[in-house]
């Protein structure tokens, strides 16, 4: 019985330590304290861990239970378990599990949200607050965190990239007596023969890589494709582009709180350009449309503060149309309407 209680107590304490260090690895220690809304996981884990420790002490004193693992003789083993394992977990989470640049982004966004509570009022320019934030070393550091996160996303990630079909003009190639043309396999680039006349499509195999090759004639053009021809390579995916646009938008928001409006508009323009790009690929994607609406609101609010009423009204109205389309919460829509009425 004694061993079971000791094992359960140590297991709970270790699990709580892993939860705390995991969140530390993801967001940074200082950022955990200022997170808004509050990150409940480390708070709950700390409470459970301390409660377990206190209960163990009371059980040892009141009921005579002995915890051999937590004695002075085993201090090094206990330290290895309760300190060494969580520290290893911290490094594993940060450098093996988390995507590149995620830690920098998490730290920057936590700071930005915290400062927005006292340095941002929609439609108003807080001059003194902006100057304080502009010269605050941790705010300058947050901007660099955003840049680091963007740079990491711009490197792309390993993803399956579909092979582009080969398009051959039949007017400029030699057609054999068997009515075939010679070209390279879209996948392995080995020389293959495909039919020159296949209005209904034709299927075969590459003798080198074994991939299924399809050919179809449309007018005077021959389209040669490779099924399953996607290759694994570094690419900037739609998810990466969305992350970059989001980071630009949040970075612009921090610049806006510093009253650096030109810099804010520059990065909002970049974010909007990327958002238009990903919306071409998926026009009805809710997350993309939501991001576009937020960017439009940010730009309109900056024009509002700068006194550019015509530009602000145009973007506020465009934002409202988009908000109604995607079902944005009414309190956010009402905020936009209130700002529009002030112009």
């Amino acid at each position: 019985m004694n061993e079971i209680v000791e094992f359960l107590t140590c297991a709970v304490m270790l699990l709580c330590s892993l939860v705390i260090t995991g969140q530390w690895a993801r967001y940074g220690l200082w950022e955990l304290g200022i997170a808004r809304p509050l990150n409940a996981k480390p708070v709950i884990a700390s409470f459970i861990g301390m409660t377990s420790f206190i209960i163990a002490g009371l059980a040892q004193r009141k009921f005579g239970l002995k915890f051999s693992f937590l004695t002075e003789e085993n201090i090094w083993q206990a330290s290895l378990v309760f300190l060494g394992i969580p520290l290893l977990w911290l490094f594993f989470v940060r450098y093996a599990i988390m995507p590149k640049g995620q830690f920098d982004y998490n730290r920057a966004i936590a700071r930005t949200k915290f400062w927005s509570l006292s340095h941002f009022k929609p439609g108003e320019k807080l001059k003194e607050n902006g100057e304080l934030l502009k010269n605050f070393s941790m705010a300058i550091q947050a901007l660099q965190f955003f840049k680091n996160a963007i740079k990491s996303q711009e490197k792309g990630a390993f993803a399956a990239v579909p092979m582009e079909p080969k398009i051959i003009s039949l007017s400029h190639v030699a057609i054999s007596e068997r009515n075939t043309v010679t070209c390279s396999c879209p996948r392995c680039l080995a020389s293959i023969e495909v039919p020159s006349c296949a209005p209904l499509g034709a299927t075969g195999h590459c003798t080198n890589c074994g991939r299924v090759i399809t050919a179809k004639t449309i007018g005077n053009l021959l389209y040669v494709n490779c099924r399953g021809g996607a290759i694994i390579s570094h690419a900037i995916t739609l998810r990466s582009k969305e992350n970059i646009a989001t980071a630009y938008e949040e970075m612009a928001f921090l610049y806006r709180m510093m009253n650096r409006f030109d810099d804010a508009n520059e990065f909002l323009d970049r974010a909007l350009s990327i958002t238009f790009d990903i919306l071409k690929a998926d026009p009805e994607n809710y997350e993309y449309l939501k991001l576009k609406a937020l960017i439009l609101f940010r730009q309109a609010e900056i024009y509002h503060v700068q006194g550019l009423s015509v530009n602000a009204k145009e973007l506020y109205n465009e934002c409202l149309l988009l908000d109604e389309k995607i079902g944005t919460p009414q309190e956010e829509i009402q905020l936009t309407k209130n700002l529009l009425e002030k112009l």
Side-chain angles (χ1 to χ4, degrees):
M1 180 65 181
N2 191 88
E3 291 79 7
I4 295 175
V5 173
E6 181 179 12
F7 174 78
L8 290 175
T9 302
C10 292
V12 169
M13 293 172 61
L14 178 59
L15 180 61
C16 291
S17 296
L18 293 176
V19 171
I20 294 169
T21 52
Q23 295 301 303
W24 179 3
R26 292 179 183 278
Y27 300 100
L29 187 58
W30 189 71
E31 285 74 16
L32 279 179
I34 65 170
R36 297 295 183 273
L38 183 68
N39 188 332
K41 290 183 180 179
V43 176
I44 295 173
S46 298
F47 176 77
I48 294 175
M50 290 299 298
T51 302
S52 300
F53 185 78
I54 293 171
I55 291 175
L58 292 174
Q60 189 172 13
R61 174 171 294 186
K62 297 291 184 180
F63 303 104
L65 294 177
K66 295 182 179 180
F67 294 90
S68 58
F69 190 68
L70 301 176
T71 59
E72 188 175 347
E73 292 79 10
N74 296 318
I75 187 66
W76 289 109
Q77 294 92 324
S79 298
L80 179 63
V81 171
F82 293 111
L83 294 178
I85 293 177
L87 283 175
L88 288 175
W89 176 242
L90 185 150
F91 284 102
F92 181 74
V93 170
R94 183 170 297 174
Y95 298 109
I97 295 180
M98 292 181 65
K100 298 294 184 183
Q102 186 67 54
F103 178 58
D104 285 321
Y105 177 79
N106 288 346
R107 296 178 74 187
I109 196 65
R111 297 183 185 190
T112 301
K113 287 183 178 179
F114 178 71
W115 291 323
S116 69
L117 299 176
S118 56
H119 291 74
F120 174 67
K121 287 186 179 180
E124 296 183 28
K125 179 179 179 180
L126 306 179
K127 187 174 181 181
E128 292 183 3
N129 296 42
E131 288 300 318
L132 287 172
L133 202 58
K134 186 188 300 183
N135 299 308
F136 188 33
S137 60
M138 296 194 76
I140 297 171
Q141 188 182 45
L143 291 172
Q144 187 59 49
F145 288 155
F146 278 127
K147 292 176 182 177
N148 293 343
I150 291 168
K151 189 177 295 184
S152 296
Q153 289 292 315
E154 286 177 339
K155 292 178 181 178
F158 284 106
V161 182
M163 297 295 298
E164 292 292 331
K166 287 184 175 296
I167 304 175
I168 301 170
S169 174
L170 296 175
S171 302
H172 299 86
V173 293
I175 300 176
S176 71
E177 294 179 354
R178 300 187 303 276
N179 289 323
T180 62
V181 297
T182 302
C183 66
S184 58
C185 169
R187 180 65 177 85
C188 68
L189 303 182
S191 180
I192 58 174
E193 283 192 15
V194 294
S196 60
C197 183
L200 299 179
T203 304
H205 290 82
C206 173
T207 55
N208 183 58
C209 67
R211 297 280 184 175
V212 176
I213 304 298
T214 62
K216 187 172 184 178
T217 309
I218 300 177
N220 200 40
L221 298 176
L222 177 64
Y223 293 82
V224 182
N225 213 335
C226 179
R227 288 183 186 172
I231 58 174
I232 303 299
S233 67
H234 253 86
I236 301 179
T237 62
L238 290 176
R239 180 63 182 272
S240 295
K241 291 181 179 180
E242 181 189 5
N243 291 340
I244 293 170
T246 301
Y248 275 139
E249 178 272 318
E250 294 295 342
M251 190 176 172
F253 183 42
L254 183 51
Y255 273 126
R256 181 262 178 266
M257 289 191 289
M258 295 177 174
N259 295 331
R260 295 174 59 176
F261 301 120
D262 290 340
D263 291 320
N265 277 322
E266 176 187 345
F267 287 105
L268 285 173
D269 286 339
R270 295 187 190 183
L272 193 59
S273 176
I274 295 171
T275 305
F276 280 135
D277 185 34
I278 59 179
L279 278 170
K280 288 179 183 178
D282 192 354
E284 299 302 318
N285 186 293
Y286 173 79
E287 295 299 328
Y288 299 167
L289 293 170
K290 183 178 177 182
L291 177 58
K292 180 183 176 182
L294 179 57
I295 294 169
L296 292 172
F297 175 82
R298 294 282 187 229
Q299 283 192 316
E301 196 272 335
I302 290 174
Y303 288 141
H304 186 156
V305 174
Q306 290 180 303
L308 303 173
S309 301
V310 175
N311 303 64
K313 285 180 180 179
E314 181 181 349
L315 292 180
Y316 277 143
N317 284 318
E318 190 175 347
C319 177
L320 284 172
L321 289 174
L322 194 52
D323 280 338
E324 291 172 0
K325 175 182 177 180
I326 63 177
T328 299
Q330 282 301 313
E331 56 269 22
E332 296 180 23
I333 293 178
Q334 191 58 49
L335 172 61
T336 305
K337 289 181 178 178
N338 292 342
L339 289 171
L340 188 57
E341 289 175 0
K342 291 180 180 179
L343 293 174

PDB file of all heavy atoms in Angstrom, residues 218-238:
ATOM      1  N   ILE A 218      -5.745  17.652 -76.841  1.00  0.00           N
ATOM      2  CA  ILE A 218      -6.769  18.695 -76.906  1.00  0.00           C
ATOM      3  C   ILE A 218      -6.330  19.677 -77.990  1.00  0.00           C
ATOM      4  O   ILE A 218      -5.349  20.412 -77.802  1.00  0.00           O
ATOM      5  CB  ILE A 218      -6.945  19.413 -75.563  1.00  0.00           C
ATOM      6  CG1 ILE A 218      -7.349  18.430 -74.468  1.00  0.00           C
ATOM      7  CG2 ILE A 218      -7.987  20.521 -75.685  1.00  0.00           C
ATOM      8  CD1 ILE A 218      -7.486  19.043 -73.097  1.00  0.00           C
ATOM      9  N   GLY A 219      -7.038  19.639 -79.111  1.00  0.00           N
ATOM     10  CA  GLY A 219      -6.628  20.472 -80.234  1.00  0.00           C
ATOM     11  C   GLY A 219      -5.275  20.016 -80.761  1.00  0.00           C
ATOM     12  O   GLY A 219      -5.079  18.841 -81.071  1.00  0.00           O
ATOM     13  N   ASN A 220      -4.334  20.937 -80.820  1.00  0.00           N
ATOM     14  CA  ASN A 220      -3.001  20.629 -81.316  1.00  0.00           C
ATOM     15  C   ASN A 220      -2.001  20.439 -80.177  1.00  0.00           C
ATOM     16  O   ASN A 220      -0.795  20.433 -80.408  1.00  0.00           O
ATOM     17  CB  ASN A 220      -2.518  21.756 -82.247  1.00  0.00           C
ATOM     18  CG  ASN A 220      -1.400  21.297 -83.164  1.00  0.00           C
ATOM     19  OD1 ASN A 220      -1.435  20.175 -83.682  1.00  0.00           O
ATOM     20  ND2 ASN A 220      -0.402  22.154 -83.349  1.00  0.00           N
ATOM     21  N   LEU A 221      -2.514  20.267 -78.971  1.00  0.00           N
ATOM     22  CA  LEU A 221      -1.647  20.118 -77.814  1.00  0.00           C
ATOM     23  C   LEU A 221      -1.812  18.746 -77.187  1.00  0.00           C
ATOM     24  O   LEU A 221      -2.918  18.212 -77.105  1.00  0.00           O
ATOM     25  CB  LEU A 221      -1.958  21.196 -76.770  1.00  0.00           C
ATOM     26  CG  LEU A 221      -1.741  22.652 -77.191  1.00  0.00           C
ATOM     27  CD1 LEU A 221      -2.180  23.593 -76.071  1.00  0.00           C
ATOM     28  CD2 LEU A 221      -0.283  22.904 -77.555  1.00  0.00           C
ATOM     29  N   LEU A 222      -0.706  18.181 -76.727  1.00  0.00           N
ATOM     30  CA  LEU A 222      -0.700  16.889 -76.061  1.00  0.00           C
ATOM     31  C   LEU A 222      -0.317  17.102 -74.605  1.00  0.00           C
ATOM     32  O   LEU A 222       0.754  17.654 -74.302  1.00  0.00           O
ATOM     33  CB  LEU A 222       0.290  15.944 -76.742  1.00  0.00           C
ATOM     34  CG  LEU A 222       0.460  14.560 -76.103  1.00  0.00           C
ATOM     35  CD1 LEU A 222      -0.836  13.762 -76.179  1.00  0.00           C
ATOM     36  CD2 LEU A 222       1.602  13.793 -76.795  1.00  0.00           C
ATOM     37  N   TYR A 223      -1.191  16.682 -73.688  1.00  0.00           N
ATOM     38  CA  TYR A 223      -0.945  16.830 -72.255  1.00  0.00           C
ATOM     39  C   TYR A 223      -0.499  15.487 -71.682  1.00  0.00           C
ATOM     40  O   TYR A 223      -1.231  14.488 -71.761  1.00  0.00           O
ATOM     41  CB  TYR A 223      -2.207  17.304 -71.536  1.00  0.00           C
ATOM     42  CG  TYR A 223      -2.625  18.712 -71.907  1.00  0.00           C
ATOM     43  CD1 TYR A 223      -3.350  18.954 -73.075  1.00  0.00           C
ATOM     44  CD2 TYR A 223      -2.290  19.790 -71.094  1.00  0.00           C
ATOM     45  CE1 TYR A 223      -3.732  20.248 -73.425  1.00  0.00           C
ATOM     46  CE2 TYR A 223      -2.672  21.076 -71.430  1.00  0.00           C
ATOM     47  CZ  TYR A 223      -3.385  21.301 -72.589  1.00  0.00           C
ATOM     48  OH  TYR A 223      -3.753  22.584 -72.931  1.00  0.00           O
ATOM     49  N   VAL A 224       0.694  15.479 -71.100  1.00  0.00           N
ATOM     50  CA  VAL A 224       1.260  14.256 -70.518  1.00  0.00           C
ATOM     51  C   VAL A 224       1.408  14.464 -69.024  1.00  0.00           C
ATOM     52  O   VAL A 224       2.085  15.406 -68.579  1.00  0.00           O
ATOM     53  CB  VAL A 224       2.624  13.912 -71.146  1.00  0.00           C
ATOM     54  CG1 VAL A 224       3.171  12.613 -70.550  1.00  0.00           C
ATOM     55  CG2 VAL A 224       2.500  13.801 -72.663  1.00  0.00           C
ATOM     56  N   ASN A 225       0.761  13.584 -68.256  1.00  0.00           N
ATOM     57  CA  ASN A 225       0.779  13.734 -66.797  1.00  0.00           C
ATOM     58  C   ASN A 225       1.223  12.438 -66.136  1.00  0.00           C
ATOM     59  O   ASN A 225       1.340  11.397 -66.786  1.00  0.00           O
ATOM     60  CB  ASN A 225      -0.606  14.133 -66.281  1.00  0.00           C
ATOM     61  CG  ASN A 225      -0.512  15.036 -65.074  1.00  0.00           C
ATOM     62  OD1 ASN A 225       0.476  15.018 -64.344  1.00  0.00           O
ATOM     63  ND2 ASN A 225      -1.545  15.836 -64.846  1.00  0.00           N
ATOM     64  N   CYS A 226       1.448  12.513 -64.832  1.00  0.00           N
ATOM     65  CA  CYS A 226       1.931  11.369 -64.072  1.00  0.00           C
ATOM     66  C   CYS A 226       1.068  11.203 -62.831  1.00  0.00           C
ATOM     67  O   CYS A 226       1.047  12.087 -61.975  1.00  0.00           O
ATOM     68  CB  CYS A 226       3.401  11.584 -63.697  1.00  0.00           C
ATOM     69  SG  CYS A 226       4.116  10.263 -62.723  1.00  0.00           S
ATOM     70  N   ARG A 227       0.340  10.111 -62.731  1.00  0.00           N
ATOM     71  CA  ARG A 227      -0.479   9.862 -61.556  1.00  0.00           C
ATOM     72  C   ARG A 227       0.408   9.513 -60.364  1.00  0.00           C
ATOM     73  O   ARG A 227       1.358   8.753 -60.495  1.00  0.00           O
ATOM     74  CB  ARG A 227      -1.453   8.709 -61.814  1.00  0.00           C
ATOM     75  CG  ARG A 227      -2.573   9.062 -62.763  1.00  0.00           C
ATOM     76  CD  ARG A 227      -3.515   7.883 -62.906  1.00  0.00           C
ATOM     77  NE  ARG A 227      -4.537   8.133 -63.912  1.00  0.00           N
ATOM     78  CZ  ARG A 227      -5.391   7.218 -64.352  1.00  0.00           C
ATOM     79  NH1 ARG A 227      -5.311   5.984 -63.860  1.00  0.00           N
ATOM     80  NH2 ARG A 227      -6.295   7.513 -65.259  1.00  0.00           N
ATOM     81  N   GLY A 228       0.026  10.072 -59.216  1.00  0.00           N
ATOM     82  CA  GLY A 228       0.861   9.827 -58.038  1.00  0.00           C
ATOM     83  C   GLY A 228       2.230  10.435 -58.203  1.00  0.00           C
ATOM     84  O   GLY A 228       3.193   9.988 -57.593  1.00  0.00           O
ATOM     85  N   GLY A 229       2.265  11.453 -59.040  1.00  0.00           N
ATOM     86  CA  GLY A 229       3.561  12.038 -59.343  1.00  0.00           C
ATOM     87  C   GLY A 229       3.988  13.135 -58.419  1.00  0.00           C
ATOM     88  O   GLY A 229       4.923  13.859 -58.714  1.00  0.00           O
ATOM     89  N   ALA A 230       3.297  13.289 -57.303  1.00  0.00           N
ATOM     90  CA  ALA A 230       3.697  14.329 -56.360  1.00  0.00           C
ATOM     91  C   ALA A 230       5.061  13.997 -55.774  1.00  0.00           C
ATOM     92  O   ALA A 230       5.379  12.840 -55.498  1.00  0.00           O
ATOM     93  CB  ALA A 230       2.663  14.447 -55.237  1.00  0.00           C
ATOM     94  N   ILE A 231       5.867  14.993 -55.611  1.00  0.00           N
ATOM     95  CA  ILE A 231       7.186  14.798 -55.027  1.00  0.00           C
ATOM     96  C   ILE A 231       7.259  15.534 -53.694  1.00  0.00           C
ATOM     97  O   ILE A 231       6.584  16.535 -53.478  1.00  0.00           O
ATOM     98  CB  ILE A 231       8.305  15.307 -55.965  1.00  0.00           C
ATOM     99  CG1 ILE A 231       8.105  16.796 -56.279  1.00  0.00           C
ATOM    100  CG2 ILE A 231       8.362  14.486 -57.238  1.00  0.00           C
ATOM    101  CD1 ILE A 231       9.246  17.388 -57.081  1.00  0.00           C
ATOM    102  N   ILE A 232       8.047  15.005 -52.785  1.00  0.00           N
ATOM    103  CA  ILE A 232       8.221  15.616 -51.479  1.00  0.00           C
ATOM    104  C   ILE A 232       9.358  16.621 -51.570  1.00  0.00           C
ATOM    105  O   ILE A 232      10.499  16.262 -51.849  1.00  0.00           O
ATOM    106  CB  ILE A 232       8.535  14.553 -50.406  1.00  0.00           C
ATOM    107  CG1 ILE A 232       7.427  13.497 -50.378  1.00  0.00           C
ATOM    108  CG2 ILE A 232       8.678  15.195 -49.044  1.00  0.00           C
ATOM    109  CD1 ILE A 232       6.057  14.048 -50.038  1.00  0.00           C
ATOM    110  N   SER A 233       9.049  17.865 -51.381  1.00  0.00           N
ATOM    111  CA  SER A 233      10.072  18.898 -51.475  1.00  0.00           C
ATOM    112  C   SER A 233       9.688  20.078 -50.585  1.00  0.00           C
ATOM    113  O   SER A 233       8.590  20.120 -50.036  1.00  0.00           O
ATOM    114  CB  SER A 233      10.230  19.377 -52.922  1.00  0.00           C
ATOM    115  OG  SER A 233       9.067  20.054 -53.344  1.00  0.00           O
ATOM    116  N   HIS A 234      10.615  20.990 -50.448  1.00  0.00           N
ATOM    117  CA  HIS A 234      10.334  22.193 -49.680  1.00  0.00           C
ATOM    118  C   HIS A 234       9.381  23.085 -50.476  1.00  0.00           C
ATOM    119  O   HIS A 234       9.600  23.355 -51.652  1.00  0.00           O
ATOM    120  CB  HIS A 234      11.627  22.962 -49.399  1.00  0.00           C
ATOM    121  CG  HIS A 234      12.050  22.850 -47.976  1.00  0.00           C
ATOM    122  ND1 HIS A 234      12.813  21.815 -47.503  1.00  0.00           N
ATOM    123  CD2 HIS A 234      11.785  23.632 -46.894  1.00  0.00           C
ATOM    124  CE1 HIS A 234      13.024  21.965 -46.217  1.00  0.00           C
ATOM    125  NE2 HIS A 234      12.418  23.051 -45.816  1.00  0.00           N
ATOM    126  N   ALA A 235       8.326  23.515 -49.836  1.00  0.00           N
ATOM    127  CA  ALA A 235       7.359  24.379 -50.504  1.00  0.00           C
ATOM    128  C   ALA A 235       6.686  25.269 -49.476  1.00  0.00           C
ATOM    129  O   ALA A 235       6.552  24.896 -48.303  1.00  0.00           O
ATOM    130  CB  ALA A 235       6.310  23.542 -51.234  1.00  0.00           C
ATOM    131  N   ILE A 236       6.294  26.445 -49.911  1.00  0.00           N
ATOM    132  CA  ILE A 236       5.520  27.343 -49.051  1.00  0.00           C
ATOM    133  C   ILE A 236       4.056  26.993 -49.267  1.00  0.00           C
ATOM    134  O   ILE A 236       3.471  27.331 -50.292  1.00  0.00           O
ATOM    135  CB  ILE A 236       5.797  28.821 -49.381  1.00  0.00           C
ATOM    136  CG1 ILE A 236       7.283  29.130 -49.208  1.00  0.00           C
ATOM    137  CG2 ILE A 236       4.976  29.726 -48.476  1.00  0.00           C
ATOM    138  CD1 ILE A 236       7.656  30.560 -49.524  1.00  0.00           C
ATOM    139  N   THR A 237       3.485  26.287 -48.320  1.00  0.00           N
ATOM    140  CA  THR A 237       2.110  25.820 -48.436  1.00  0.00           C
ATOM    141  C   THR A 237       1.130  26.954 -48.142  1.00  0.00           C
ATOM    142  O   THR A 237       1.517  28.033 -47.679  1.00  0.00           O
ATOM    143  CB  THR A 237       1.872  24.670 -47.456  1.00  0.00           C
ATOM    144  OG1 THR A 237       2.066  25.161 -46.112  1.00  0.00           O
ATOM    145  CG2 THR A 237       2.849  23.523 -47.709  1.00  0.00           C
ATOM    146  N   LEU A 238      -0.150  26.680 -48.397  1.00  0.00           N
ATOM    147  CA  LEU A 238      -1.180  27.660 -48.064  1.00  0.00           C
ATOM    148  C   LEU A 238      -1.185  27.948 -46.568  1.00  0.00           C
ATOM    149  O   LEU A 238      -1.416  29.084 -46.147  1.00  0.00           O
ATOM    150  CB  LEU A 238      -2.557  27.154 -48.510  1.00  0.00           C
ATOM    151  CG  LEU A 238      -2.820  27.102 -50.014  1.00  0.00           C
ATOM    152  CD1 LEU A 238      -4.183  26.487 -50.288  1.00  0.00           C
ATOM    153  CD2 LEU A 238      -2.737  28.498 -50.625  1.00  0.00           C
TER     154      LEU A 238
END
